[in-house]
Amino acid sequence: MHSITRAVIEKLHSPLSPKSFCLLSLSFVLCSLVGVGAINWLVNPYGQYGSRLMAPIVQDSRREKVELFEKLAFVPDGLILGSSRALKVEPAYLQSRTGQTFFNFAVNHGRPEDFLAIMRYYQQRFHRLPKTVLIGVDIAALDDKVPNDARLCSERRLFDLARDTCSWSEDFDRFSQLFSFQQLSSSFKSLRHHLCPRQRAEAQQAFQADGVIEYIQREREIALGEYDFESALEFNQREFLSAFSRLTEPSQRRLGYLRESLRLCKENGCKVYLFATVSHPRLRDALAIKTKFLSLEKKSLIDLEAMANEMGAKFMDFGRIESFAGDPASFVDGIHPLEPNTRRMVDRLLSRPSEGSYAFQ
């Protein structure tokens, strides 16, 4: 027994051969990657994968909107589509103006592939299209260099209807992030949030039953006169200065997805109100000075107007608040308007030609 123990100790203290060292190192790396991937898959901090053991630390608006939609006690006559910039368009206000019921199906970072998936989802569920659709399009959403939002890919009820809009490289990129140590850090943050009650913070925002967002914390601070609008605006400026510094042409691929949505509507008698979304005047000014935003916007508006005319949709450009008599004080940051502004947009969209011309630039 002593001789065996001595032999084991000598073996442990003897230097590893180059081959053994390489095999041991490779095994350690592979085990580490498998462990990182397993934790990220199970925790799923960004809502990119199928696991739902705990809520993501980012808002998974696609999944939340589908679940809210499926709980509705009625079939909505109309849909509101768009990005987070359209999350404050109120179904109740639209109903008061049109007599039709609506659901706000706008999603964070909503792009034309999202709109097409949602239209197909409604059609699959009810074997028809809605009577009316409002679609808000961000100029920044017409960027070919930005992949599909991973949260669209992970929401199977939508993604199964939009596979033709997602390339294999985008799916590969989503799953390659499983092995990211940056995502691992977010997984640990999520675990602390869910397992340690003292780490839990009050929800900053939530969706109402009709899909409209409530900015719980920010709206409270606005009401108290304590909201730091300047910091929120500075964040948007950094974000969009980076985005528009490399963007010069609207994505024909994404315009194609939008065209397909409008084609579905035209063939099924669905009335479409298409509009370019608003930016706060101060954000527009910064983008105009430091990027080619105005040139890109002009090209995008030409494409959107031509598409709307071809497909029988009504189009308005709400990029500037002057186009709908908006109020620069009714924003939570540089891109998200509050209800006083979204109601004025709805009024302009529903106005008859005699009440004012289209707000093209």
Side-chain angles (χ1 to χ4, degrees):
M1 176 64 73
H2 291 296
S3 60
I4 295 175
T5 303
R6 189 181 303 110
V8 171
I9 293 173
E10 290 176 355
K11 184 69 175 177
L12 290 174
H13 284 278
S14 61
L16 292 173
S17 67
K19 180 179 179 180
S20 297
F21 177 78
C22 289
L23 289 174
L24 186 62
S25 299
L26 182 60
S27 299
F28 175 78
V29 171
L30 289 176
C31 288
S32 298
L33 288 176
V34 169
V36 169
I39 293 172
N40 287 338
W41 173 270
L42 291 172
V43 177
N44 194 15
Y46 303 140
Q48 293 176 290
Y49 315 113
S51 173
R52 295 292 168 178
L53 292 179
M54 55 188 67
I57 59 175
V58 295
Q59 191 171 44
D60 191 352
S61 54
R62 289 159 184 80
R63 181 180 179 86
E64 291 184 48
K65 287 295 182 81
V66 169
E67 292 178 350
L68 286 173
F69 187 79
E70 294 186 347
K71 291 177 182 177
L72 291 175
F74 60 93
V75 179
D77 299 316
L79 292 177
I80 301 157
L81 304 178
S83 69
S84 59
R85 302 188 193 206
L87 287 174
K88 279 290 193 181
V89 180
E90 303 160 284
Y93 189 72
L94 275 163
Q95 185 175 3
S96 71
R97 291 295 314 272
T98 66
Q100 296 181 358
T101 57
F102 283 82
F103 180 78
N104 188 315
F105 224 130
V107 295
N108 294 327
H109 299 290
R111 301 185 180 97
E113 57 267 30
D114 291 289
F115 312 155
L116 181 57
I118 293 167
M119 293 290 291
R120 289 171 173 173
Y121 169 71
Y122 186 105
Q123 186 177 40
Q124 180 191 67
R125 188 168 174 81
F126 302 119
H127 308 291
R128 65 174 178 83
L129 288 183
K131 296 177 183 178
T132 308
V133 177
L134 277 69
I135 305 178
V137 180
D138 304 346
I139 301 303
L142 302 178
D143 183 352
D144 226 6
K145 298 180 177 66
V146 177
N148 291 29
D149 194 292
R151 289 165 291 186
L152 170 62
C153 300
S154 67
E155 177 43 65
R156 308 309 301 184
R157 289 165 289 188
L158 293 180
F159 182 60
D160 286 345
L161 302 170
R163 287 185 178 274
D164 55 334
T165 70
C166 184
S167 68
W168 68 267
S169 60
E170 290 176 331
D171 232 12
F172 175 81
D173 179 67
R174 175 168 66 104
F175 283 104
S176 69
Q177 294 177 35
L178 270 175
F179 308 103
S180 161
F181 283 90
Q182 179 181 1
Q183 190 168 131
L184 180 65
S185 175
S186 296
S187 291
F188 285 131
K189 179 180 178 181
S190 179
L191 284 170
R192 288 195 303 271
H193 172 77
H194 288 92
L195 299 179
C196 302
R198 293 183 180 179
Q199 294 290 328
R200 296 179 187 174
E202 179 186 3
Q204 295 187 2
Q205 55 194 34
F207 293 121
Q208 300 171 11
D210 60 2
V212 172
I213 196 167
E214 180 184 3
Y215 299 119
I216 300 171
Q217 179 178 340
R218 286 187 280 184
E219 291 183 54
R220 182 191 304 127
E221 292 174 355
I222 290 172
L224 294 172
E226 300 173 352
Y227 184 59
D228 187 0
F229 178 82
E230 294 301 321
S231 294
L233 181 63
E234 288 175 11
F235 176 85
N236 291 142
Q237 288 179 342
R238 291 193 300 270
E239 178 185 11
F240 287 99
L241 286 173
S242 174
F244 286 111
S245 64
R246 55 176 171 72
L247 185 57
T248 57
E249 296 290 334
S251 166
Q252 294 305 307
R253 174 175 66 94
R254 288 200 154 108
L255 286 169
Y257 301 150
L258 181 60
R259 179 183 297 276
E260 177 62 16
S261 296
L262 298 187
R263 184 192 65 78
L264 279 175
C265 291
K266 182 179 181 180
E267 292 179 354
N268 290 272
C270 173
K271 175 64 177 177
V272 177
Y273 295 90
L274 184 69
F275 62 97
T277 55
V278 68
S279 297
H280 192 278
R282 289 173 57 190
L283 176 61
R284 286 186 61 89
D285 290 345
L287 294 176
I289 294 171
K290 300 180 181 180
T291 72
K292 296 181 179 179
F293 168 73
L294 294 182
S295 173
L296 175 66
E297 181 185 52
K298 183 177 180 180
K299 294 175 184 177
S300 300
L301 292 174
I302 290 172
D303 287 335
L304 291 172
E305 180 182 357
M307 188 186 304
N309 290 337
E310 177 188 350
M311 296 296 175
K314 182 176 182 179
F315 173 66
M316 285 190 167
D317 169 24
F318 289 155
R320 290 184 169 89
I321 61 172
E322 294 84 0
S323 62
F324 57 91
D327 180 1
S330 291
F331 283 80
V332 294
D333 53 26
I335 59 174
H336 296 114
L338 291 168
E339 289 90 343
N341 278 331
T342 59
R343 290 174 186 174
R344 293 178 184 182
M345 292 181 204
V346 168
D347 290 340
R348 288 289 292 122
L349 279 174
L350 299 180
S351 65
R352 298 175 182 176
S354 58
E355 297 177 52
S357 60
Y358 285 13
F360 293 134
Q361 292 181 5

